[in-house]
């Protein structure tokens, strides 16, 4: 299940606020993929859409040590996109990872990730 929140800000402001928040919290940003820009480069037009890949190697490593297959979900990511004048933040509910990958010992890492997503969204929207 995905969790979607509407931002009170423009697309560009939502992206910049998200990146600023991650930097402020010393959370590593691994990559920022601008789908609109990539589409534009090959002559296609689409609305704004960016994925931010971020996380903590310490937290991710705990999860992957318990079940290496969870690595397909990492690093964590947020999708920020716009439809018309509305901007949304979307992410996968970390609680789903518990059952999907049988996480027991690193449950605390999932709780930290869940809290982080909520902090990001609450500080941005």
């Amino acid at each position: 299940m995905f969790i979607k929140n509407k931002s009170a800000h423009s697309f560009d402001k939502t992206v910049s606020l998200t990146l600023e928040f991650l930097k402020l919290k010393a959370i590593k940003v691994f990559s920022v993929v601008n789908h609109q820009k990539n589409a534009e480069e090959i002559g296609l037009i689409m609305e704004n859409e960016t994925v931010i890949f971020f996380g903590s190697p310490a937290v991710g490593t705990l999860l992957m040590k318990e079940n290496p297959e969870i690595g397909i979900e990492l690093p964590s990511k947020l999708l920020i996109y716009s439809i018309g004048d509305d901007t949304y933040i979307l992410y996968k509910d970390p609680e789903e990872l518990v059952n999907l990958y049988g996480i027991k010992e690193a449950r605390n890492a999932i709780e930290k990730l869940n809290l982080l997503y909520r902090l990001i969204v609450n500080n941005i929207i």
Side-chain angles (χ1 to χ4, degrees), residues 63-74 97 100-103:
L63 293 167
M64 290 183 284
K65 284 177 69 176
E66 186 166 342
N67 185 341
E69 293 175 359
I70 201 169
I72 194 71
E73 308 285 351
L74 302 171
L97 303 178
L100 187 60
Y101 296 101
I103 300 299

Side-chain angles (χ1 to χ4, degrees), residues 88-113:
Y88 300 92
I89 301 172
L90 181 88
Y91 61 92
K92 190 171 190 176
D93 185 352
E95 291 297 322
E96 286 190 359
L97 303 178
V98 172
N99 293 330
L100 187 60
Y101 296 101
I103 300 299
K104 292 180 178 73
E105 293 175 26
R107 180 87 170 101
N108 189 41
I110 296 290
E111 290 168 5
K112 286 181 182 179
L113 180 57

Side-chain angles (χ1 to χ4, degrees), residues 8-117:
H9 307 285
S10 69
F11 173 81
D12 289 333
K13 185 70 173 175
T14 301
V15 170
S16 66
L17 287 171
T18 302
L19 292 170
E20 288 170 20
F21 181 82
L22 292 169
K23 183 177 180 180
L24 178 72
K25 296 295 184 185
I27 297 167
K28 184 173 179 126
V29 173
F30 294 99
S31 182
V32 177
V33 177
N34 184 330
H35 289 310
Q36 182 207 30
K37 180 182 171 195
N38 293 334
E40 191 176 272
E41 288 174 358
I42 59 166
L44 297 175
I45 298 170
M46 65 179 286
E47 298 246 20
N48 293 312
E49 187 165 319
T50 293
V51 181
I52 300 172
F53 295 87
F54 64 93
S56 163
V59 173
T61 300
L62 289 174
L63 293 167
M64 290 183 284
K65 284 177 69 176
E66 186 166 342
N67 185 341
E69 293 175 359
I70 201 169
I72 194 71
E73 308 285 351
L74 302 171
S76 300
K77 55 195 115 342
L78 279 173
L79 171 65
I80 301 172
Y81 67 98
S82 62
I83 298 175
D85 292 333
D86 295 326
T87 298
Y88 300 92
I89 301 172
L90 181 88
Y91 61 92
K92 190 171 190 176
D93 185 352
E95 291 297 322
E96 286 190 359
L97 303 178
V98 172
N99 293 330
L100 187 60
Y101 296 101
I103 300 299
K104 292 180 178 73
E105 293 175 26
R107 180 87 170 101
N108 189 41
I110 296 290
E111 290 168 5
K112 286 181 182 179
L113 180 57
N114 203 6
L115 177 61
L116 177 60
Y117 276 124

